[in-house]
Amino acid sequence: MSSIIHEFLKFLPQEAVITGEESLRVYECDALSAYRELPACVVLPETVEQIQEILRICHQAGVPVVARGAGTGLSGGALPVADGVVLSLAKLNRILEIDPDLRLARVQPGVRNLSVSDAAAAYGLFYAPDPSSQVACTIGGNIAENSGGVHCLKYGLTVHNVMGLKVITIAGELIQIGGEALDSAGYDLLALMTGSEGMLGVVVEATLKLLPRPVHQQMLLAAFASVEEAGNGVADIIAAGVIPAGLEMMDNPGVRAVEAYVHAGYPTDAAAILLCELDGVPEEVAVESKQVIEILKNAGATEVRLARNKQEGERFWAGRKAAFPAVGRIAADYYCMDGTIPRKHIARVLQRITELSEEYELGVVNVFHAGDGNLHPLILYDVAIPGELERAEEFGGRILETCVEVGGTITGEHGVGIEKINQMCVQFKTEELTQFHAVKEAFDPQGLLNPGKAVPTLRRCAEYGAMHVHGGKLPFPDLERF
Amino acid sequence: MSSIIHEFLKFLPQEAVITGEESLRVYECDALSAYRELPACVVLPETVEQIQEILRICHQAGVPVVARGAGTGLSGGALPVADGVVLSLAKLNRILEIDPDLRLARVQPGVRNLSVSDAAAAYGLFYAPDPSSQVACTIGGNIAENSGGVHCLKYGLTVHNVMGLKVITIAGELIQIGGEALDSAGYDLLALMTGSEGMLGVVVEATLKLLPRPVHQQMLLAAFASVEEAGNGVADIIAAGVIPAGLEMMDNPGVRAVEAYVHAGYPTDAAAILLCELDGVPEEVAVESKQVIEILKNAGATEVRLARNKQEGERFWAGRKAAFPAVGRIAADYYCMDGTIPRKHIARVLQRITELSEEYELGVVNVFHAGDGNLHPLILYDVAIPGELERAEEFGGRILETCVEVGGTITGEHGVGIEKINQMCVQFKTEELTQFHAVKEAFDPQGLLNPGKAVPTLRRCAEYGAMHVHGGKLPFPDLERF
């Protein structure tokens, strides 16, 4: 390692090569802080050429490299590897170009998500994916994890909003993927790279799609006496052909936690509430609002409120946006899960989560992107009570396995990282995992880029299958139903 | 080969294994009929298990396999390999399920594109990608070529409308990719498989997204005194944030050919016309129509017609839909090109096509999906006149290279196949082509699936570079501009 650091220092200034334990501590984890590991060193390059050189050196020496953005990831995707290098993209933080005619932004990976919309606002444009962490998280990290947000129901995940990438391979080669045109010749490496959790290459530039800011927005809030009716309301809206800009659901524990914290005016006696944002030209929004109110009433809503003005609409949202800190006030710790299910199974899966909550004797709050079936159960625990963290993790794993059971998937927008790697064994068969490994090998034959993340080894799956709590076999043998 | 045929006949009936030269003739080409090759045999399996067995046998024997749908492809993607097997998916033609709640269709690959919308119509739903050949072409072929159509501006290409795939690998293994949920864990093989031209696996089942049929549609026709103004009109509409369901452009030769054939009422003195379809709820369409009319007038339209009713709207479309046969009447033969460019360069590229038309002394008609910058120049030639076919092909190649030069790509919706394989050398650098080959190897290490298509060997590119008409070097050395 010391010879590698010596190599780095030939083209990087002293302060861009971090090695002291104290300084490395900052990089030992991302937002999944239950997992920590000290890397051997952290490098902070400023140019694409420096990144190429860093990767070339690591490639030749066979040293693992973990790329890192803002470290806000929730699945441990940026967890360092012991004796490995952390490649921070923090200094590549420039917006290179906003092209209002083509409605594109060309940015470096270390640019914060919200900065893109801020820069595009002058042209009446915005960048649609809006993860909760959008003030802090970076575009590079968003691409690595294929991030979503409250508006991805209508405007898509990151993969739907990236047009082109410049990527450095582990061998230090620059390749360009996609571009400014709708389609692209050759294999579609753009989607393959997006969401690949830093395991196939290092993104050094991205061309992002910008959208015109909606002319008009309308918020609605609906209360339900049962979670089932709320879930059906969601399915009915989508089935009617309405695509809201956002369609969020919160169960009673969530509503009460939020009300106690920000006084958003939510009905605390509701079993569940839905928040629905419609956007477009005013005439279209007016028609859709009427339609959605009728659908929600037919689905059994006990109350439907139409925000009378922008301020009231923002108050409706404020509660949703404060949900995580609100839950932080009622529990010592919480563990945020992230699975996606076909919408029609929302009520069934929430019922199962309630049962598991009793089984594990841990509270749970459900606050999630209902429109696209992306669940975020928050499991409440106290790390100071021995065994609670382990129980929370196992409970979380069971929730993800339930998602797979109903035809869903173990990730919505947070990625697999280290957190969900065991559940990959439940989601995929040996043949599919083998194909994933072959793809990895096509980009990184030595397995140096973010090793140990996202795709489990077959051996790990065999062990997980053997030790799994459900009696030595994987819980859902019938995975053919897709 | 005879021992392989013997193997096939163990589980396929005699009539499902075609070997006689007369019968093989039917399969010697697809819609790019300038290229022909007789395969050694054609197999017509009826079940997924038979396909697995066929691939296993070919894999073991090292025999190339070319999958084939309806053979309507325009880039020669289904051109057989001499001494290889053609795997026809024609008998896997069942719609397995329409799920109106999840708005999904589960279909076999041999299902015709239009049949999906026909089956979904009962639920008020449709399948959005609508290539011109939609009466005949199949979903499997659409997935292989990532097909588009007149409505892909608003509703996306095939890749944006496929949720899940069942794929058989060359080794005969069944893998499932994607599913019914918005996101999917692991590498995004779904987009990678879509548009991979039969080179990574054989699709045996697809889960497709269905959309609600638009409540209301409005057609507009605008005439322009110059191609440049029409091109600017297109850019202005999109820049204003309006996404039409379709936005087509036709130049004067196209307008005259169409008028003479179907009398659609097009203004034959216009240098170019635009056809614009708006859809949505009536209130939204009314607002957008007003907006688009104003934009087109500001862009210099000499005339803007709003279809007064459905019949008139259909007449506007009828001309566009008859454009290719109309051109067939004025020329002995025509060669349909397919490139995509950033919208803002439409006028510049059309000007270059006119110059090339003079250089090659061949007429050209431009009829294309202007909204997404997908050009379809039709080069007019006569195969009976020695040298004209070769000149048409070279002219076509130059058009594609112009697309690359302005930041576009050599394919919009027809794929690369055998037709554009030389232009791949212009579009991509050595490092990028090397990465494509590595991905291919991850799925098909022996290179048995549709060999020789889509991705050129580096040797081929070196030869193309050396022999290329522009003086021994590739025409656009500066490919870094993306």
Side-chain angles (χ1 to χ4, degrees):
Chain A
M1 182 53 65
S2 68
S3 83
I4 283 184
I5 290 166
H6 183 72
E7 290 289 311
F8 290 159
L9 286 169
K10 284 185 184 162
F11 60 96
L12 290 174
Q14 192 93 45
E15 67 273 17
V17 183
I18 296 170
T19 51
E21 193 186 320
E22 190 92 352
S23 316
L24 290 176
R25 210 41 90 191
V26 181
Y27 296 91
E28 70 177 352
C29 68
D30 59 15
L32 184 74
S33 54
Y35 296 81
R36 290 166 195 267
E37 189 74 70
L38 271 193
C41 99
V42 175
V43 285
L44 290 130
E46 285 188 65
T47 69
V48 171
E49 292 69 26
Q50 288 173 350
I51 295 172
Q52 289 185 274
E53 197 53 31
I54 291 165
L55 290 169
R56 258 184 232 121
I57 290 167
C58 292
H59 184 229
Q60 270 161 26
V63 169
V65 184
V66 177
R68 179 185 174 100
T72 56
L74 289 163
S75 59
L79 179 73
V81 174
D83 302 324
V85 170
V86 166
L87 171 57
S88 166
L89 281 314
K91 289 189 180 169
L92 281 90
N93 60 358
R94 282 182 304 130
I95 295 178
L96 302 170
E97 187 186 2
I98 302 277
D99 184 330
D101 293 329
L102 288 176
R103 295 214 313 247
L104 296 176
R106 210 155 50 78
V107 306
Q108 291 190 313
V111 167
R112 288 177 305 108
N113 174 295
L114 194 60
S115 312
V116 181
S117 286
D118 285 347
Y123 306 97
L125 300 171
F126 77 113
Y127 175 62
D130 55 352
S132 305
S133 56
Q134 71 176 144
V135 178
C137 67
T138 61
I139 293 298
N142 291 177
I143 292 167
E145 304 300 329
N146 192 17
S147 303
V150 294
H151 290 107
C152 69
L153 169 60
K154 183 163 182 177
Y155 299 112
L157 298 167
T158 299
V159 68
H160 305 113
N161 291 279
V162 173
M163 296 288 287
L165 295 175
K166 284 190 186 177
V167 174
I168 311 295
T169 66
I170 183 64
E173 305 283 6
L174 173 74
I175 60 174
Q176 300 190 31
I177 301 174
E180 297 176 354
L182 183 67
D183 195 13
S184 164
Y187 301 122
D188 189 344
L189 304 187
L190 187 61
L192 181 65
M193 197 60 66
T194 309
S196 65
E197 308 201 18
M199 295 179 64
L200 303 183
V202 176
V203 171
V204 293
E205 189 182 305
T207 300
L208 309 175
K209 207 187 280 184
L210 300 175
L211 298 177
R213 280 184 183 276
V215 186
H216 186 65
Q217 290 164 319
Q218 174 67 57
M219 279 296 293
L220 285 104
L221 184 159
F224 290 86
S226 77
V227 167
E228 193 173 351
E229 286 169 314
N232 291 341
V234 170
D236 293 348
I237 289 172
I238 306 293
V242 178
I243 308 288
L247 184 53
E248 299 287 308
M249 186 164 161
M250 199 182 289
D251 67 4
N252 181 270
V255 169
R256 281 187 291 125
V258 160
E259 253 331 270
Y261 181 42
V262 294
H263 316 291
Y266 292 172
T268 51
D269 57 341
I273 65 164
L274 291 183
L275 293 169
C276 177
E277 180 182 295
L278 299 166
D279 70 4
V281 296
E283 293 80 357
E284 174 192 13
V285 172
V287 171
E288 287 190 341
S289 299
K290 247 177 89 176
Q291 199 181 349
V292 167
I293 291 172
E294 204 181 303
I295 291 168
L296 291 172
K297 285 189 175 160
N298 287 340
T302 53
E303 184 192 357
V304 183
R305 290 187 214 159
L306 195 68
R308 282 158 299 182
N309 49 43
K310 205 164 169 241
Q311 289 67 38
E312 195 176 14
E314 278 166 6
R315 205 157 59 245
F316 286 180
W317 264 132
R320 169 64 183 88
K321 287 183 179 162
F324 286 22
V327 170
R329 289 172 76 239
I330 62 166
D333 301 282
Y334 67 83
Y335 183 30
C336 174
M337 301 308 300
D338 164 55
T340 304
I341 56 170
R343 274 180 303 268
K344 67 176 171 186
H345 298 307
I346 287 176
R348 179 175 157 202
V349 171
L350 290 181
Q351 177 55 36
R352 180 88 185 110
I353 292 175
T354 305
E355 290 161 17
L356 288 169
S357 167
E358 284 159 17
E359 181 179 335
Y360 285 95
E361 296 177 18
L362 291 173
V364 67
V365 171
N366 286 290
V367 176
F368 59 97
H369 311 314
D372 48 24
N374 184 194
L375 307 178
H376 287 318
L378 302 175
I379 300 171
L380 313 183
Y381 70 99
D382 185 344
V383 75
I385 301 174
E388 284 218 346
L389 170 60
E390 293 69 21
R391 255 164 45 228
E393 286 187 332
E394 197 179 307
F395 179 5
R398 296 281 294 279
I399 292 175
L400 296 180
E401 289 161 16
T402 304
C403 292
V404 174
E405 190 182 15
V406 301
T409 154
I410 59 169
T411 178
E413 50 187 16
H414 298 173
V416 171
I418 191 74
E419 181 199 22
K420 302 169 184 170
I421 198 152
N422 285 333
Q423 280 69 39
M424 286 290 284
C425 310
V426 181
Q427 178 108 53
F428 296 102
K429 296 186 297 190
T430 301
E431 291 80 2
E432 291 154 351
L433 293 170
T434 302
Q435 191 57 65
F436 285 150
H437 286 298
V439 168
K440 165 75 169 172
E441 220 177 289
F443 286 82
D444 176 21
Q446 293 170 265
L448 297 176
L449 288 166
N450 213 6
K453 312 289 174 62
V455 182
T457 59
L458 296 179
R459 187 198 168 94
R460 181 179 190 124
C461 285
E463 284 168 4
Y464 183 68
M467 61 147 251
H468 201 275
V469 288
H470 305 296
K473 64 181 173 61
L474 290 180
F476 310 105
D478 173 23
L479 287 173
E480 299 294 325
R481 82 194 67 204
F482 144 73
Chain B
M1 182 53 65
S2 68
S3 83
I4 283 185
I5 289 166
H6 182 71
E7 289 290 311
F8 290 158
L9 286 169
K10 285 185 182 163
F11 60 94
L12 290 174
Q14 191 92 45
E15 66 274 16
V17 183
I18 296 171
T19 51
E21 192 186 321
E22 190 92 353
S23 316
L24 289 176
R25 211 39 92 190
V26 180
Y27 296 91
E28 69 176 351
C29 67
D30 59 15
L32 185 74
S33 54
Y35 295 81
R36 291 164 195 268
E37 189 75 69
L38 271 193
C41 100
V42 176
V43 285
L44 290 129
E46 284 188 66
T47 69
V48 172
E49 292 70 26
Q50 288 173 350
I51 295 172
Q52 289 185 278
E53 196 54 33
I54 290 165
L55 289 171
R56 258 183 232 123
I57 290 168
C58 291
H59 184 227
Q60 270 159 28
V63 169
V65 184
V66 178
R68 181 186 173 100
T72 56
L74 288 163
S75 59
L79 179 74
V81 174
D83 303 323
V85 170
V86 165
L87 170 57
S88 167
L89 282 313
K91 287 188 180 170
L92 280 91
N93 59 359
R94 282 182 305 130
I95 294 178
L96 302 171
E97 188 185 0
I98 302 277
D99 184 330
D101 292 330
L102 287 177
R103 297 215 311 247
L104 296 175
R106 210 156 49 80
V107 307
Q108 291 189 313
V111 166
R112 288 177 306 107
N113 174 295
L114 194 59
S115 313
V116 181
S117 286
D118 286 347
Y123 306 97
L125 301 171
F126 78 113
Y127 175 62
D130 54 350
S132 306
S133 56
Q134 70 175 148
V135 178
C137 66
T138 61
I139 294 297
N142 291 176
I143 292 167
E145 304 299 330
N146 191 18
S147 303
V150 294
H151 290 107
C152 68
L153 170 59
K154 183 163 184 176
Y155 299 113
L157 298 166
T158 299
V159 69
H160 305 112
N161 291 278
V162 173
M163 296 287 288
L165 294 175
K166 284 192 186 175
V167 174
I168 311 295
T169 66
I170 184 64
E173 305 284 7
L174 173 73
I175 60 173
Q176 300 189 32
I177 302 174
E180 296 176 356
L182 183 67
D183 196 13
S184 164
Y187 302 121
D188 189 345
L189 304 187
L190 187 61
L192 182 65
M193 198 58 69
T194 309
S196 66
E197 308 200 17
M199 295 179 64
L200 303 183
V202 176
V203 171
V204 293
E205 189 181 304
T207 301
L208 308 175
K209 207 187 281 183
L210 300 175
L211 297 177
R213 279 183 183 277
V215 186
H216 185 65
Q217 290 163 318
Q218 173 68 56
M219 279 296 292
L220 285 104
L221 184 158
F224 289 86
S226 77
V227 166
E228 194 174 348
E229 286 169 315
N232 292 340
V234 170
D236 293 347
I237 290 172
I238 306 295
V242 178
I243 308 288
L247 184 53
E248 299 286 307
M249 186 163 160
M250 200 183 286
D251 66 3
N252 181 270
V255 169
R256 280 185 292 127
V258 160
E259 253 331 271
Y261 181 41
V262 294
H263 314 293
Y266 292 172
T268 51
D269 56 343
I273 65 165
L274 291 184
L275 294 169
C276 177
E277 182 181 291
L278 299 167
D279 69 5
V281 296
E283 293 80 358
E284 176 192 11
V285 171
V287 172
E288 288 190 341
S289 298
K290 245 177 88 177
Q291 200 181 349
V292 167
I293 291 172
E294 205 182 302
I295 292 168
L296 292 172
K297 285 189 174 160
N298 287 340
T302 52
E303 184 192 358
V304 183
R305 289 187 213 160
L306 195 70
R308 281 157 301 185
N309 49 43
K310 204 164 171 238
Q311 289 68 40
E312 195 175 15
E314 278 166 5
R315 204 156 63 243
F316 286 0
W317 263 132
R320 168 63 183 89
K321 288 185 177 158
F324 285 22
V327 171
R329 289 171 76 241
I330 62 166
D333 301 283
Y334 67 83
Y335 182 30
C336 174
M337 300 309 299
D338 164 53
T340 303
I341 56 170
R343 276 181 300 268
K344 67 176 171 187
H345 298 307
I346 287 177
R348 179 176 157 199
V349 170
L350 290 181
Q351 176 55 34
R352 179 86 186 114
I353 292 174
T354 305
E355 290 161 18
L356 288 168
S357 166
E358 283 158 18
E359 182 180 334
Y360 286 94
E361 295 178 17
L362 292 172
V364 66
V365 172
N366 286 291
V367 177
F368 60 97
H369 311 313
D372 48 24
N374 184 194
L375 307 178
H376 287 318
L378 303 175
I379 299 172
L380 314 182
Y381 69 99
D382 185 343
V383 75
I385 300 174
E388 283 217 346
L389 170 61
E390 293 71 20
R391 253 161 50 225
E393 287 188 332
E394 197 179 308
F395 180 3
R398 296 281 296 277
I399 291 175
L400 297 179
E401 289 160 18
T402 304
C403 291
V404 174
E405 191 184 14
V406 300
T409 154
I410 60 170
T411 177
E413 52 186 15
H414 298 172
V416 171
I418 191 74
E419 180 199 24
K420 300 169 185 169
I421 199 153
N422 285 334
Q423 279 70 38
M424 286 290 284
C425 310
V426 181
Q427 178 109 52
F428 296 103
K429 297 186 297 190
T430 301
E431 291 79 3
E432 291 154 351
L433 293 170
T434 302
Q435 191 57 63
F436 286 151
H437 286 298
V439 168
K440 165 75 168 170
E441 219 179 287
F443 286 82
D444 176 20
Q446 293 170 266
L448 298 176
L449 288 167
N450 213 7
K453 311 287 173 65
V455 182
T457 59
L458 297 180
R459 188 198 168 94
R460 181 179 190 126
C461 285
E463 284 168 2
Y464 183 68
M467 61 148 252
H468 200 274
V469 287
H470 304 297
K473 63 182 174 61
L474 291 180
F476 310 106
D478 173 23
L479 287 172
E480 299 294 326
R481 83 193 65 205
F482 143 75

